[in-house]
Amino acid sequence: MKTALITGANKGIGFETAKQLLENGYFVFIGSRDIDNGESAVEQLKKAGFAHTEAIQLDVTDAGSVEKAKSAVRSKTDVLDVLINNAGINGGMPQAALEAPVESFQKVLDTNLYGVIRMTQTFMDLLRKSEEPRIVNVSSSGCSLTLHSDPDWIYYSHKAAVYTASKAAMNMYTINLAYELRDTPFKVNAVCPGFVATDFNNHRGTGTVKEGGKRIAKYAMIGQDGPTGKFISEEYNPETGETPW
């Protein structure tokens, strides 16, 4: 049975992604900053018939919490097949480039960029033991430099200086990570779930959580012929998913 760890998986897209991996025979660790919320999510999944899941207390902004989470995972398995860096914050609104305080950038980067780095570096030894290791960094087409420079893009006027900067930086980390792992079985991609209605955007999204979870799970389960080092948004590009950086 393959194993997966999803950060911020107690609700929303993370929770739905967990459900879809469970449906495909994975054992899923539900990472949750609040362990009670994580346990509640696991209880919901078990009531739905999914037995192979466990909650892990995990705050990606806290190195000690990440290390404890690794110890908890290692007590159950020596191998981690999938890491999905899903935990993220939007930083609130508005986010004007000239007015957003530096502290806002620091707080959002600590989760959306540094949290991804902490998780990836800490769990790398367990991932290396997998025959087909996968890393999915949950991104957004809304952080594409190319799209946000195109006045004809549908979301051109939806600027958010703090959030988009954090995810664009995470995308660059994804490129570098995929390059360093290019001669290994790893597949590393930045994947956008689409503009999905969740608490994250006050349910203003036009897509469903099920659609978003399916897109993330797909790239967590890709075969050796699948892409790596790519920015994927199937909402933007339904044919191949490839999205401009």
Side-chain angles (χ1 to χ4, degrees):
M1 178 178 290
K2 287 188 174 183
T3 57
L5 169 60
I6 307 173
T7 65
N10 57 281
K11 64 178 182 178
I13 294 169
F15 181 80
E16 178 61 30
T17 302
K19 183 178 178 182
Q20 298 211 18
L21 290 180
L22 287 163
E23 289 174 346
N24 281 276
Y26 283 69
F27 186 102
V28 181
F29 294 99
I30 303 292
S32 178
R33 186 171 52 185
D34 185 318
I35 189 60
D36 290 337
N37 291 339
E39 295 287 3
S40 177
V42 166
E43 184 178 349
Q44 290 180 57
L45 290 168
K46 289 187 174 179
K47 284 182 178 178
F50 302 111
H52 300 119
T53 183
E54 180 177 324
I56 300 289
Q57 194 284 323
L58 177 54
D59 180 349
V60 300
T61 69
D62 183 338
S65 174
V66 173
E67 286 290 349
K68 288 180 181 178
K70 179 183 176 181
S71 295
V73 171
R74 184 178 273 163
S75 70
K76 301 292 182 180
T77 177
D78 292 327
V79 179
L80 184 64
D81 297 287
V82 176
L83 172 62
I84 300 178
N85 288 306
N86 168 73
I89 59 175
N90 62 24
M93 294 298 284
Q95 295 185 9
L98 290 176
E99 297 175 2
V102 169
E103 291 77 13
S104 292
F105 284 90
Q106 291 172 328
K107 182 177 181 179
V108 174
L109 283 165
D110 199 16
T111 297
N112 296 0
L113 174 62
Y114 308 146
V116 171
I117 297 169
R118 288 186 192 97
M119 288 297 301
T120 303
Q121 292 181 349
T122 300
F123 283 88
M124 184 53 61
D125 60 335
L126 296 183
L127 287 162
R128 287 188 185 277
K129 294 178 182 178
S130 171
E131 293 182 0
E132 296 185 322
R134 303 289 180 261
I135 299 175
V136 176
N137 294 330
V138 177
S139 189
S140 168
S141 61
C143 67
S144 165
L145 303 181
T146 300
L147 295 180
H148 260 299
S149 301
D150 180 2
D152 293 326
W153 184 48
I154 186 173
Y155 299 120
Y156 175 72
S157 64
H158 293 216
K159 302 295 193 243
V162 178
Y163 177 74
T164 55
S166 74
K167 287 295 188 177
M170 188 204 72
N171 279 2
M172 190 71 235
Y173 178 72
T174 303
I175 291 173
N176 281 272
L177 182 61
Y179 177 80
E180 291 184 20
L181 296 169
R182 66 194 180 282
D183 296 324
T184 73
F186 274 84
K187 299 293 183 183
V188 182
N189 293 290
V191 181
C192 172
F195 188 33
V196 174
T198 65
D199 290 346
F200 193 84
N201 55 36
N202 294 317
H203 295 272
R204 292 175 298 164
T206 54
T208 67
V209 168
K210 188 171 184 178
E211 289 171 332
K214 183 177 181 180
R215 288 165 177 159
I216 301 300
K218 174 181 176 179
Y219 289 90
M221 299 187 292
I222 55 171
Q224 285 305 110
D225 58 344
T228 191
K230 299 297 183 181
F231 183 17
I232 303 294
S233 173
E234 294 188 344
E235 179 181 75
Y236 169 76
N237 179 0
E239 293 185 7
T240 68
E242 279 203 45
T243 301
W245 297 100

